[in-house]
Structures are given as structure tokens and as C-alpha cells.
Amino acid sequence: MNESVLSVQNLHVSFTTYGGEVKAVRGVNFQLNKGETLAIVGESGCGKSVTSQSIMRLIPDPPGRITDGSILFKGRDLLHLSEKEMRNVRGKDISMIFQDPMTALNPTLTIGEQIMEGILQHERIPKKEASQKAMEMLSLVGIPHPEERLKQYPHQFSGGMRQRIVIAMALVCQPDVLIADEPTTALDVTIQAQILELFREVQQKTGVSIILITHDLGVVAQVADRIAVMYAGKIVEEGTRREIFYKPQHPYTQGLLKSVPRLDLDGADLTPITGTPPDLFSPPVGCPFSARCESAMEVCDRVYPVKTELSSDHHVDCWLQDPRAKAMLSTISYTIR
Ligand code: SF4
């Protein structure tokens, strides 16, 4: 039986702009289990980063606002905590790392000072003990000569090393959950592979649960246990890595997989998904993918598809998979376009 560490339920997030209200996240539900990696994938603007920032309560308000939902962690709804209580959660219980390691590090402080800052904020221990912990953490993330390296500044490290340091900072207080938002996008391919391997090693050693936000299915294939596919502010399909890569059921997931090179599918042509995502100022009432979907039916534009359970881990929001779609025939004209 999977043990849940974090549960996001019916999350809605909006942003107020001069043009109106952008509904960036529209009823997102998912569960993160102990010791697993859940990847949230989708194209830019689908709401994946807004979802992760909502968990950390980092949505700037205004213009952003979490309008509905709950985020349950250790029996508490994070959306009901005070800012002071949230400061104790961030870094200690849930940590986050971002895309660009250089902007995550302060160029004027040594690596040691920056790693120790997190420890001393959450734990009442002497500086010497904090320094020892920082050193152990640098070793864990594969930085040689940690004692000397602690005294150096960010500019004295390569991009890959800086990302290792950021991971060390995120893990130093042994959080239950690590959120990694596009953690390898700014790195070249060989360093990316090393960092992904590091995530796996660190997870095995510490048991941390990871939410990986990415647009890169190559990254997902290497590290994810489960995958949630987001489109236009909703999770449209979720399943194990095997289910999503080998039995994708949502036309958007199928389109994503056809648009990236696959070594396991010899000679398959690459096909881009044509069209653009819908305007989230006034999202469609029906399926948001309908304008780009080759299988779209009239019902798709009129009613949003209800979740269809395909297995204990795999579910999809698509009329093609919903046995109840036939029942809609009697109430809605259900013709192929
Ligand atoms: Fe395509 Fe209809 Fe399924 Fe949406 S619900 S993905 S439009 S078939």
C-alpha cells in the first residue's frame, strides 16, 4: 500500500491582469507517495510551475490567488497555515530547487555560509555542527574536497557543480518532499545525465519524495515512477511511467510522445502537435484540447470529459475512453466532426 506524503485536491489558481483573470490552474488533483518521483509534464503555460509554487505558497498575491482547493501535508492543509508556519515548512519539510542554479545562489556568500543558513534557520545547533552537516551534504551530492569547497564562492564552480550545491542546500534539513522545477534545463546533456543520476542516488539514500516539473520527456523517462500530464491548467492523464510511455490514452499525451525522438521505437517519424493551447482568460467549457485533437467529437466541445479510471494508477480525462460517452448520445448530438 502506497503511503501518501502530500495530497493536492481541487487546486485552482488565478492571476489578475489588465486583460482579465487568467485561470492558470483549474482543479488539479494528485497524490505524492513516500519515496517516489512524480513527474508533472506539459508545455509552457500549462500550469505545472504554478502548481508547484502553490504547494510552497510562493504565488505572488497580488496578482496571483489560490481560489480553491487544499494541499494536505502531514495532516495539515498548507493553504490554512500562517506565513510564519509556512516559513517553517519551506526548506525543512518541503524544499524546492529551480532551473538556473546561478540565480539560486548568492554570489557574495561562500557555499558553506549558504548551506549553513538553512540548517541554522531550522535547527538549534552550534555552528560547528552545522558546518559538519554542510560538509556531509556536499559529499553526498558528489563534490570532492568538501572542507575546502565550503569556503569558496559560487563563481568558482561549474554549472553542474552549482546545481549539485543547490540540491545539497535543498536536502540539508532532510525534507520529506523535494520539488524540482526544470532542474536540468540550464545544463548540457552530459551534466544533465549526471544530475538525474544524483537525484536517484539521493532518493535511495534519504527516501525523499520528489515532484519533478519538466517539459522534457527524456528526463521523465529516466527518473519518474509516475507521470501526470498537464494541459491548459488540468491534469488530463496520469499513470505509471510504463503506462504513459507504452499505453498513452489521451490524444495530447500521444501527441507529446510522437513529437520526441524514441530510441525504443525504431524509425518512427516525429510529428509535432499542430495549433496552440486555448486562451486561459476564457477557457473552453468542454475539452481544452478539442481544437487540436484529430479525434474530437461534438460532445468534446460541450462537456468536459469526466475522469476515466483505466487501472489503479492510470486515469484519463477523454471522451474516447469514457463508456458513459454513449449515454451522452441521447442528450447531445454525438457526431464525428
Ligand atoms: Fe480529443 Fe475529445 Fe478526448 Fe478531448 S475529449 S482529447 S477533444 S477526443
Side-chain angles (χ1 to χ4, degrees), residues 6 30-32 36-42 46-49 51-52 55 95-99 163 167 177-185 192 195-197 199-200 203 208-230 235 241 245:
L6 183 83
F30 66 85
Q31 176 175 311
L32 178 68
E36 76 164 354
T37 299
L38 171 72
I40 302 181
V41 295
C46 70
K48 54 191 190 305
S49 290
T51 300
S52 64
I55 296 170
S95 272
M96 189 160 184
I97 57 177
F98 298 92
Q99 191 179 117
Q163 193 61 307
I167 295 170
V177 176
L178 174 67
I179 302 173
D181 191 352
E182 304 275 8
T184 57
T185 304
Q192 175 175 307
I195 295 294
L196 293 177
E197 183 55 35
F199 273 118
R200 230 192 324 247
Q203 191 171 48
V208 66
S209 306
I210 300 176
I211 297 176
L212 178 68
I213 310 289
T214 182
H215 66 279
D216 187 338
L217 286 170
V219 168
V220 171
Q222 290 180 64
V223 291
D225 297 304
R226 287 190 303 120
I227 300 168
V229 180
M230 271 193 91
I235 290 179
R241 177 174 51 174
F245 275 90

Short mmCIF file of all heavy atoms in Angstrom, two decimals, residues 6 30-32 36-42 46-49 51-52 55 95-99 163 167 177-185 192 195-197 199-200 203 208-230 235 241 245:
data_model
loop_
_atom_site.label_atom_id
_atom_site.label_comp_id
_atom_site.label_asym_id
_atom_site.label_seq_id
_atom_site.Cartn_x
_atom_site.Cartn_y
_atom_site.Cartn_z
N LEU A 6 1.88 13.79 0.41
CA LEU A 6 1.31 15.10 0.01
C LEU A 6 0.11 14.83 -0.89
O LEU A 6 0.18 13.98 -1.77
CB LEU A 6 2.37 15.89 -0.77
CG LEU A 6 1.98 17.29 -1.19
CD1 LEU A 6 2.21 18.27 -0.04
CD2 LEU A 6 2.82 17.75 -2.38
N PHE A 30 -3.73 15.49 -7.28
CA PHE A 30 -2.77 14.39 -7.35
C PHE A 30 -2.27 14.07 -5.94
O PHE A 30 -2.44 14.85 -5.01
CB PHE A 30 -1.59 14.69 -8.30
CG PHE A 30 -0.68 15.81 -7.87
CD1 PHE A 30 0.36 15.60 -6.99
CD2 PHE A 30 -0.87 17.10 -8.37
CE1 PHE A 30 1.20 16.63 -6.60
CE2 PHE A 30 -0.04 18.14 -7.99
CZ PHE A 30 1.00 17.90 -7.10
N GLN A 31 -1.63 12.90 -5.87
CA GLN A 31 -1.09 12.45 -4.59
C GLN A 31 0.38 12.09 -4.82
O GLN A 31 0.72 11.52 -5.85
CB GLN A 31 -1.88 11.22 -4.17
CG GLN A 31 -1.38 10.56 -2.92
CD GLN A 31 -2.31 9.42 -2.52
OE1 GLN A 31 -3.53 9.59 -2.46
NE2 GLN A 31 -1.74 8.27 -2.26
N LEU A 32 1.23 12.46 -3.86
CA LEU A 32 2.64 12.08 -3.92
C LEU A 32 2.89 11.04 -2.85
O LEU A 32 2.59 11.27 -1.67
CB LEU A 32 3.52 13.32 -3.70
CG LEU A 32 5.03 13.09 -3.70
CD1 LEU A 32 5.53 12.71 -5.09
CD2 LEU A 32 5.76 14.34 -3.21
N GLU A 36 8.76 8.20 -3.79
CA GLU A 36 8.60 8.09 -5.24
C GLU A 36 8.95 9.42 -5.94
O GLU A 36 9.05 10.48 -5.30
CB GLU A 36 7.17 7.71 -5.60
CG GLU A 36 6.18 8.84 -5.48
CD GLU A 36 4.85 8.57 -6.19
OE1 GLU A 36 4.70 7.56 -6.88
OE2 GLU A 36 3.94 9.42 -6.02
N THR A 37 9.11 9.34 -7.26
CA THR A 37 9.26 10.55 -8.08
C THR A 37 8.05 10.67 -8.98
O THR A 37 7.78 9.78 -9.79
CB THR A 37 10.54 10.47 -8.95
OG1 THR A 37 11.67 10.37 -8.08
CG2 THR A 37 10.68 11.71 -9.81
N LEU A 38 7.32 11.75 -8.79
CA LEU A 38 6.16 12.05 -9.65
C LEU A 38 6.57 13.16 -10.60
O LEU A 38 6.97 14.24 -10.14
CB LEU A 38 4.97 12.50 -8.80
CG LEU A 38 3.78 13.05 -9.59
CD1 LEU A 38 3.04 11.92 -10.32
CD2 LEU A 38 2.80 13.79 -8.67
N ALA A 39 6.51 12.91 -11.90
CA ALA A 39 6.84 13.96 -12.87
C ALA A 39 5.56 14.63 -13.32
O ALA A 39 4.57 13.95 -13.63
CB ALA A 39 7.57 13.36 -14.06
N ILE A 40 5.56 15.97 -13.34
CA ILE A 40 4.44 16.71 -13.92
C ILE A 40 4.95 17.31 -15.22
O ILE A 40 5.90 18.11 -15.22
CB ILE A 40 3.93 17.80 -12.96
CG1 ILE A 40 3.51 17.18 -11.62
CG2 ILE A 40 2.76 18.55 -13.59
CD1 ILE A 40 2.96 18.16 -10.61
N VAL A 41 4.38 16.87 -16.34
CA VAL A 41 4.88 17.29 -17.65
C VAL A 41 3.80 18.06 -18.42
O VAL A 41 2.61 17.88 -18.19
CB VAL A 41 5.35 16.11 -18.52
CG1 VAL A 41 6.52 15.40 -17.93
CG2 VAL A 41 4.24 15.13 -18.79
N GLY A 42 4.28 18.87 -19.35
CA GLY A 42 3.35 19.63 -20.19
C GLY A 42 4.11 20.78 -20.82
O GLY A 42 5.23 21.09 -20.41
N CYS A 46 1.16 25.53 -19.15
CA CYS A 46 0.09 24.56 -18.85
C CYS A 46 -0.28 24.59 -17.36
O CYS A 46 -1.27 23.98 -16.96
CB CYS A 46 0.49 23.15 -19.26
SG CYS A 46 1.80 22.44 -18.24
N GLY A 47 0.54 25.27 -16.53
CA GLY A 47 0.19 25.40 -15.11
C GLY A 47 1.04 24.53 -14.19
O GLY A 47 0.83 24.52 -12.98
N LYS A 48 2.05 23.85 -14.75
CA LYS A 48 2.82 22.93 -13.90
C LYS A 48 3.67 23.69 -12.86
O LYS A 48 3.72 23.29 -11.70
CB LYS A 48 3.68 21.97 -14.73
CG LYS A 48 4.60 22.61 -15.74
CD LYS A 48 5.18 21.55 -16.68
CE LYS A 48 6.30 22.09 -17.56
NZ LYS A 48 5.99 23.27 -18.37
N SER A 49 4.32 24.78 -13.27
CA SER A 49 5.14 25.53 -12.30
C SER A 49 4.25 26.27 -11.30
O SER A 49 4.59 26.37 -10.11
CB SER A 49 6.03 26.55 -13.01
OG SER A 49 7.02 25.86 -13.72
N THR A 51 1.47 25.20 -10.18
CA THR A 51 1.04 24.18 -9.22
C THR A 51 2.13 23.97 -8.16
O THR A 51 1.85 23.95 -6.96
CB THR A 51 0.77 22.85 -9.96
OG1 THR A 51 -0.27 23.07 -10.91
CG2 THR A 51 0.36 21.75 -9.00
N SER A 52 3.39 23.86 -8.61
CA SER A 52 4.47 23.60 -7.64
C SER A 52 4.68 24.81 -6.73
O SER A 52 4.90 24.67 -5.53
CB SER A 52 5.76 23.22 -8.36
OG SER A 52 6.22 24.29 -9.15
N ILE A 55 2.19 24.85 -3.91
CA ILE A 55 2.49 23.95 -2.79
C ILE A 55 3.40 24.67 -1.78
O ILE A 55 3.22 24.55 -0.58
CB ILE A 55 3.17 22.65 -3.30
CG1 ILE A 55 2.20 21.88 -4.19
CG2 ILE A 55 3.64 21.78 -2.13
CD1 ILE A 55 2.83 20.72 -4.95
N SER A 95 11.20 21.22 0.21
CA SER A 95 12.23 22.09 -0.40
C SER A 95 11.99 22.22 -1.88
O SER A 95 11.36 21.34 -2.49
CB SER A 95 13.61 21.48 -0.22
OG SER A 95 14.15 21.88 0.98
N MET A 96 12.55 23.27 -2.46
CA MET A 96 12.34 23.47 -3.89
C MET A 96 13.65 23.87 -4.55
O MET A 96 14.41 24.66 -3.97
CB MET A 96 11.29 24.55 -4.09
CG MET A 96 10.84 24.69 -5.51
SD MET A 96 9.26 25.55 -5.59
CE MET A 96 8.93 25.45 -7.32
N ILE A 97 13.92 23.33 -5.72
CA ILE A 97 15.06 23.82 -6.49
C ILE A 97 14.58 24.27 -7.86
O ILE A 97 13.63 23.73 -8.40
CB ILE A 97 16.19 22.77 -6.63
CG1 ILE A 97 15.71 21.49 -7.27
CG2 ILE A 97 16.82 22.47 -5.31
CD1 ILE A 97 16.83 20.50 -7.47
N PHE A 98 15.27 25.29 -8.38
CA PHE A 98 14.81 25.94 -9.59
C PHE A 98 15.77 25.66 -10.75
O PHE A 98 16.83 25.06 -10.60
CB PHE A 98 14.69 27.45 -9.36
CG PHE A 98 13.68 27.78 -8.31
CD1 PHE A 98 14.04 27.92 -6.98
CD2 PHE A 98 12.35 27.92 -8.63
CE1 PHE A 98 13.10 28.19 -6.00
CE2 PHE A 98 11.40 28.20 -7.67
CZ PHE A 98 11.78 28.34 -6.35
N GLN A 99 15.35 26.17 -11.93
CA GLN A 99 16.03 25.86 -13.18
C GLN A 99 17.47 26.33 -13.23
O GLN A 99 18.36 25.58 -13.59
CB GLN A 99 15.22 26.53 -14.29
CG GLN A 99 15.60 26.12 -15.65
CD GLN A 99 14.72 26.84 -16.67
OE1 GLN A 99 15.23 27.60 -17.47
NE2 GLN A 99 13.44 26.61 -16.67
N GLN A 163 24.61 23.23 -9.60
CA GLN A 163 23.32 22.57 -9.42
C GLN A 163 23.42 21.52 -8.30
O GLN A 163 22.49 21.32 -7.54
CB GLN A 163 22.82 21.97 -10.74
CG GLN A 163 21.37 21.54 -10.74
CD GLN A 163 20.39 22.69 -10.47
OE1 GLN A 163 20.52 23.43 -9.48
NE2 GLN A 163 19.40 22.85 -11.32
N ILE A 167 21.14 21.40 -4.89
CA ILE A 167 20.48 20.19 -4.39
C ILE A 167 20.89 19.93 -2.94
O ILE A 167 20.06 19.58 -2.10
CB ILE A 167 20.81 18.98 -5.31
CG1 ILE A 167 20.21 19.21 -6.70
CG2 ILE A 167 20.30 17.67 -4.71
CD1 ILE A 167 20.66 18.22 -7.76
N VAL A 177 9.72 16.19 1.16
CA VAL A 177 9.36 16.40 -0.25
C VAL A 177 10.36 17.37 -0.89
O VAL A 177 10.69 18.40 -0.30
CB VAL A 177 7.93 16.99 -0.38
CG1 VAL A 177 7.59 17.31 -1.83
CG2 VAL A 177 6.90 16.04 0.21
N LEU A 178 10.83 17.01 -2.08
CA LEU A 178 11.69 17.92 -2.85
C LEU A 178 10.96 18.23 -4.16
O LEU A 178 10.58 17.31 -4.88
CB LEU A 178 13.03 17.24 -3.16
CG LEU A 178 13.97 18.01 -4.09
CD1 LEU A 178 14.47 19.30 -3.43
CD2 LEU A 178 15.17 17.14 -4.48
N ILE A 179 10.76 19.53 -4.43
CA ILE A 179 10.15 19.93 -5.71
C ILE A 179 11.25 20.45 -6.61
O ILE A 179 11.97 21.39 -6.23
CB ILE A 179 9.07 21.02 -5.49
CG1 ILE A 179 7.99 20.51 -4.53
CG2 ILE A 179 8.45 21.43 -6.81
CD1 ILE A 179 6.98 21.56 -4.12
N ALA A 180 11.43 19.84 -7.75
CA ALA A 180 12.49 20.26 -8.67
C ALA A 180 11.83 20.79 -9.94
O ALA A 180 11.21 20.04 -10.69
CB ALA A 180 13.40 19.07 -8.99
N ASP A 181 11.94 22.12 -10.14
CA ASP A 181 11.28 22.75 -11.29
C ASP A 181 12.29 22.91 -12.42
O ASP A 181 13.17 23.76 -12.36
CB ASP A 181 10.71 24.11 -10.85
CG ASP A 181 9.79 24.71 -11.92
OD1 ASP A 181 9.71 24.15 -13.02
OD2 ASP A 181 9.15 25.73 -11.63
N GLU A 182 12.17 22.10 -13.45
CA GLU A 182 13.08 22.09 -14.61
C GLU A 182 14.54 22.10 -14.13
O GLU A 182 15.33 22.96 -14.54
CB GLU A 182 12.82 23.31 -15.52
CG GLU A 182 11.40 23.44 -16.01
CD GLU A 182 11.11 22.62 -17.27
OE1 GLU A 182 11.98 21.83 -17.67
OE2 GLU A 182 10.00 22.76 -17.81
N PRO A 183 14.96 21.14 -13.29
CA PRO A 183 16.28 21.25 -12.66
C PRO A 183 17.46 21.03 -13.60
O PRO A 183 18.59 21.33 -13.22
CB PRO A 183 16.25 20.13 -11.61
CG PRO A 183 15.31 19.12 -12.16
CD PRO A 183 14.27 19.91 -12.90
N THR A 184 17.21 20.53 -14.81
CA THR A 184 18.35 20.26 -15.69
C THR A 184 18.29 21.05 -16.99
O THR A 184 19.14 20.88 -17.85
CB THR A 184 18.40 18.75 -16.03
OG1 THR A 184 17.15 18.38 -16.63
CG2 THR A 184 18.63 17.89 -14.81
N THR A 185 17.30 21.93 -17.13
CA THR A 185 17.11 22.64 -18.39
C THR A 185 18.31 23.53 -18.73
O THR A 185 18.66 23.68 -19.90
CB THR A 185 15.82 23.49 -18.32
OG1 THR A 185 14.76 22.60 -17.99
CG2 THR A 185 15.49 24.16 -19.63
N GLN A 192 23.42 16.93 -17.42
CA GLN A 192 22.02 16.61 -17.11
C GLN A 192 21.90 15.15 -16.67
O GLN A 192 21.25 14.85 -15.66
CB GLN A 192 21.20 16.84 -18.38
CG GLN A 192 19.77 16.43 -18.26
CD GLN A 192 18.97 16.81 -19.51
OE1 GLN A 192 18.99 17.95 -19.94
NE2 GLN A 192 18.29 15.87 -20.09
N ILE A 195 23.20 14.75 -13.15
CA ILE A 195 22.31 15.31 -12.13
C ILE A 195 21.10 14.39 -11.91
O ILE A 195 20.66 14.16 -10.78
CB ILE A 195 21.86 16.75 -12.51
CG1 ILE A 195 23.07 17.69 -12.52
CG2 ILE A 195 20.78 17.28 -11.57
CD1 ILE A 195 23.73 17.94 -11.17
N LEU A 196 20.58 13.82 -13.01
CA LEU A 196 19.44 12.90 -12.87
C LEU A 196 19.85 11.65 -12.09
O LEU A 196 19.10 11.14 -11.26
CB LEU A 196 18.89 12.52 -14.24
CG LEU A 196 18.25 13.67 -15.01
CD1 LEU A 196 17.80 13.21 -16.39
CD2 LEU A 196 17.07 14.25 -14.25
N GLU A 197 21.06 11.18 -12.34
CA GLU A 197 21.59 10.03 -11.59
C GLU A 197 21.72 10.40 -10.11
O GLU A 197 21.41 9.60 -9.22
CB GLU A 197 22.96 9.63 -12.19
CG GLU A 197 23.61 8.41 -11.58
CD GLU A 197 22.74 7.17 -11.60
OE1 GLU A 197 21.98 6.99 -12.56
OE2 GLU A 197 22.79 6.39 -10.61
N PHE A 199 19.88 12.55 -8.47
CA PHE A 199 18.53 12.52 -7.87
C PHE A 199 18.19 11.10 -7.42
O PHE A 199 17.67 10.89 -6.33
CB PHE A 199 17.48 12.98 -8.89
CG PHE A 199 17.29 14.47 -8.91
CD1 PHE A 199 17.54 15.21 -10.05
CD2 PHE A 199 16.83 15.15 -7.80
CE1 PHE A 199 17.38 16.57 -10.08
CE2 PHE A 199 16.66 16.52 -7.81
CZ PHE A 199 16.94 17.24 -8.96
N ARG A 200 18.50 10.13 -8.29
CA ARG A 200 18.16 8.74 -7.98
C ARG A 200 18.94 8.26 -6.76
O ARG A 200 18.38 7.66 -5.85
CB ARG A 200 18.49 7.87 -9.19
CG ARG A 200 17.31 6.96 -9.57
CD ARG A 200 17.69 5.90 -10.54
NE ARG A 200 18.65 6.31 -11.53
CZ ARG A 200 18.37 6.42 -12.83
NH1 ARG A 200 17.17 6.20 -13.27
NH2 ARG A 200 19.31 6.76 -13.69
N GLN A 203 17.71 9.93 -3.58
CA GLN A 203 16.40 9.40 -3.18
C GLN A 203 16.56 8.05 -2.49
O GLN A 203 15.91 7.78 -1.48
CB GLN A 203 15.50 9.27 -4.40
CG GLN A 203 14.06 8.98 -4.03
CD GLN A 203 13.15 9.08 -5.23
OE1 GLN A 203 13.45 8.54 -6.28
NE2 GLN A 203 12.07 9.79 -5.08
N VAL A 208 13.61 10.62 0.19
CA VAL A 208 12.82 11.83 -0.10
C VAL A 208 11.86 11.56 -1.27
O VAL A 208 12.17 10.80 -2.19
CB VAL A 208 13.77 13.03 -0.42
CG1 VAL A 208 14.56 12.80 -1.71
CG2 VAL A 208 13.02 14.34 -0.49
N SER A 209 10.67 12.15 -1.20
CA SER A 209 9.71 12.06 -2.31
C SER A 209 9.94 13.27 -3.22
O SER A 209 10.13 14.39 -2.72
CB SER A 209 8.27 12.11 -1.78
OG SER A 209 8.10 11.13 -0.80
N ILE A 210 9.92 13.05 -4.53
CA ILE A 210 10.28 14.14 -5.45
C ILE A 210 9.13 14.46 -6.41
O ILE A 210 8.52 13.54 -6.98
CB ILE A 210 11.54 13.76 -6.27
CG1 ILE A 210 12.72 13.50 -5.34
CG2 ILE A 210 11.88 14.83 -7.30
CD1 ILE A 210 14.00 13.01 -6.04
N ILE A 211 8.85 15.75 -6.55
CA ILE A 211 7.96 16.21 -7.64
C ILE A 211 8.87 16.86 -8.67
O ILE A 211 9.56 17.83 -8.37
CB ILE A 211 6.91 17.23 -7.15
CG1 ILE A 211 5.99 16.59 -6.12
CG2 ILE A 211 6.09 17.75 -8.33
CD1 ILE A 211 4.98 17.56 -5.53
N LEU A 212 8.90 16.30 -9.87
CA LEU A 212 9.76 16.81 -10.92
C LEU A 212 8.90 17.52 -11.95
O LEU A 212 8.02 16.92 -12.56
CB LEU A 212 10.50 15.62 -11.56
CG LEU A 212 11.42 15.92 -12.72
CD1 LEU A 212 12.64 16.71 -12.24
CD2 LEU A 212 11.88 14.62 -13.37
N ILE A 213 9.15 18.82 -12.12
CA ILE A 213 8.39 19.60 -13.10
C ILE A 213 9.25 19.71 -14.35
O ILE A 213 10.40 20.19 -14.27
CB ILE A 213 8.12 21.03 -12.55
CG1 ILE A 213 7.52 21.00 -11.15
CG2 ILE A 213 7.29 21.85 -13.53
CD1 ILE A 213 6.14 20.53 -11.07
N THR A 214 8.75 19.30 -15.47
CA THR A 214 9.57 19.38 -16.68
C THR A 214 8.72 19.35 -17.94
O THR A 214 7.57 18.89 -17.93
CB THR A 214 10.60 18.22 -16.72
OG1 THR A 214 11.42 18.34 -17.87
CG2 THR A 214 9.92 16.85 -16.74
N HIS A 215 9.31 19.86 -19.04
CA HIS A 215 8.65 19.73 -20.35
C HIS A 215 9.37 18.63 -21.14
O HIS A 215 8.98 18.32 -22.26
CB HIS A 215 8.75 21.06 -21.11
CG HIS A 215 10.17 21.40 -21.46
ND1 HIS A 215 11.04 21.97 -20.56
CD2 HIS A 215 10.88 21.18 -22.58
CE1 HIS A 215 12.22 22.10 -21.13
NE2 HIS A 215 12.16 21.63 -22.36
N ASP A 216 10.43 18.05 -20.55
CA ASP A 216 11.34 17.17 -21.27
C ASP A 216 11.02 15.70 -20.96
O ASP A 216 11.31 15.19 -19.88
CB ASP A 216 12.77 17.52 -20.82
CG ASP A 216 13.82 16.78 -21.62
OD1 ASP A 216 13.49 15.74 -22.20
OD2 ASP A 216 14.96 17.26 -21.64
N LEU A 217 10.45 15.01 -21.96
CA LEU A 217 10.07 13.61 -21.74
C LEU A 217 11.29 12.70 -21.59
O LEU A 217 11.20 11.63 -21.00
CB LEU A 217 9.18 13.12 -22.88
CG LEU A 217 7.75 13.68 -22.85
CD1 LEU A 217 7.03 13.34 -24.13
CD2 LEU A 217 6.98 13.14 -21.66
N GLY A 218 12.44 13.14 -22.11
CA GLY A 218 13.67 12.36 -21.94
C GLY A 218 14.05 12.30 -20.47
O GLY A 218 14.42 11.25 -19.93
N VAL A 219 13.93 13.43 -19.78
CA VAL A 219 14.21 13.50 -18.34
C VAL A 219 13.24 12.60 -17.57
O VAL A 219 13.61 11.82 -16.71
CB VAL A 219 14.10 14.97 -17.85
CG1 VAL A 219 14.11 15.06 -16.34
CG2 VAL A 219 15.22 15.80 -18.44
N VAL A 220 11.97 12.70 -17.95
CA VAL A 220 10.92 11.93 -17.28
C VAL A 220 11.19 10.43 -17.41
O VAL A 220 11.08 9.67 -16.45
CB VAL A 220 9.56 12.26 -17.94
CG1 VAL A 220 8.48 11.34 -17.45
CG2 VAL A 220 9.19 13.70 -17.66
N ALA A 221 11.59 10.01 -18.62
CA ALA A 221 11.82 8.58 -18.88
C ALA A 221 12.92 8.03 -17.98
O ALA A 221 12.90 6.86 -17.62
CB ALA A 221 12.19 8.38 -20.34
N GLN A 222 13.87 8.90 -17.59
CA GLN A 222 14.99 8.41 -16.79
C GLN A 222 14.68 8.29 -15.31
O GLN A 222 15.24 7.43 -14.64
CB GLN A 222 16.19 9.33 -16.98
CG GLN A 222 16.81 9.23 -18.36
CD GLN A 222 17.98 10.16 -18.50
OE1 GLN A 222 18.99 10.04 -17.82
NE2 GLN A 222 17.85 11.13 -19.37
N VAL A 223 13.84 9.16 -14.78
CA VAL A 223 13.71 9.17 -13.31
C VAL A 223 12.30 9.00 -12.73
O VAL A 223 12.17 8.68 -11.55
CB VAL A 223 14.30 10.47 -12.70
CG1 VAL A 223 15.80 10.52 -12.84
CG2 VAL A 223 13.68 11.70 -13.29
N ALA A 224 11.25 9.18 -13.53
CA ALA A 224 9.91 9.22 -12.92
C ALA A 224 9.37 7.83 -12.61
O ALA A 224 9.57 6.89 -13.37
CB ALA A 224 8.95 9.93 -13.87
N ASP A 225 8.68 7.70 -11.48
CA ASP A 225 7.91 6.48 -11.20
C ASP A 225 6.51 6.64 -11.79
O ASP A 225 5.99 5.72 -12.40
CB ASP A 225 7.79 6.27 -9.68
CG ASP A 225 9.15 6.04 -9.05
OD1 ASP A 225 9.84 5.13 -9.49
OD2 ASP A 225 9.52 6.81 -8.14
N ARG A 226 5.92 7.81 -11.54
CA ARG A 226 4.59 8.09 -12.10
C ARG A 226 4.67 9.43 -12.84
O ARG A 226 5.52 10.26 -12.54
CB ARG A 226 3.53 8.16 -10.99
CG ARG A 226 3.21 6.78 -10.42
CD ARG A 226 1.99 6.83 -9.50
NE ARG A 226 2.16 7.78 -8.41
CZ ARG A 226 1.35 8.80 -8.20
NH1 ARG A 226 0.31 9.01 -8.98
NH2 ARG A 226 1.57 9.64 -7.20
N ILE A 227 3.72 9.61 -13.77
CA ILE A 227 3.72 10.82 -14.60
C ILE A 227 2.32 11.42 -14.62
O ILE A 227 1.34 10.69 -14.82
CB ILE A 227 4.16 10.49 -16.05
CG1 ILE A 227 5.57 9.88 -16.06
CG2 ILE A 227 4.10 11.71 -16.95
CD1 ILE A 227 5.97 9.26 -17.39
N ALA A 228 2.24 12.74 -14.40
CA ALA A 228 0.97 13.45 -14.56
C ALA A 228 1.14 14.40 -15.74
O ALA A 228 2.08 15.20 -15.77
CB ALA A 228 0.63 14.23 -13.30
N VAL A 229 0.27 14.29 -16.74
CA VAL A 229 0.37 15.13 -17.93
C VAL A 229 -0.61 16.29 -17.76
O VAL A 229 -1.82 16.08 -17.58
CB VAL A 229 0.03 14.33 -19.20
CG1 VAL A 229 0.14 15.20 -20.45
CG2 VAL A 229 0.94 13.10 -19.33
N MET A 230 -0.09 17.52 -17.83
CA MET A 230 -0.95 18.71 -17.65
C MET A 230 -1.19 19.39 -18.99
O MET A 230 -0.30 19.48 -19.82
CB MET A 230 -0.30 19.71 -16.70
CG MET A 230 -0.65 19.47 -15.26
SD MET A 230 -0.19 20.86 -14.19
CE MET A 230 -1.67 21.86 -14.22
N ILE A 235 -4.82 18.30 -15.07
CA ILE A 235 -4.12 17.03 -15.32
C ILE A 235 -5.05 16.19 -16.19
O ILE A 235 -6.15 15.82 -15.76
CB ILE A 235 -3.77 16.31 -14.00
CG1 ILE A 235 -2.68 17.10 -13.28
CG2 ILE A 235 -3.31 14.88 -14.28
CD1 ILE A 235 -2.24 16.54 -11.95
N ARG A 241 5.08 5.28 -15.24
CA ARG A 241 5.94 5.61 -16.39
C ARG A 241 5.65 4.65 -17.54
O ARG A 241 5.53 5.06 -18.69
CB ARG A 241 7.40 5.52 -15.95
CG ARG A 241 8.37 5.75 -17.08
CD ARG A 241 9.77 5.80 -16.57
NE ARG A 241 10.11 4.66 -15.73
CZ ARG A 241 11.32 4.40 -15.25
NH1 ARG A 241 12.29 5.24 -15.49
NH2 ARG A 241 11.56 3.36 -14.51
N PHE A 245 4.23 5.85 -21.18
CA PHE A 245 5.09 5.72 -22.36
C PHE A 245 4.61 4.64 -23.33
O PHE A 245 4.78 4.78 -24.53
CB PHE A 245 6.54 5.45 -21.95
CG PHE A 245 7.31 6.72 -21.66
CD1 PHE A 245 7.33 7.26 -20.38
CD2 PHE A 245 7.96 7.40 -22.68
CE1 PHE A 245 8.00 8.43 -20.12
CE2 PHE A 245 8.63 8.58 -22.42
CZ PHE A 245 8.65 9.11 -21.15
#
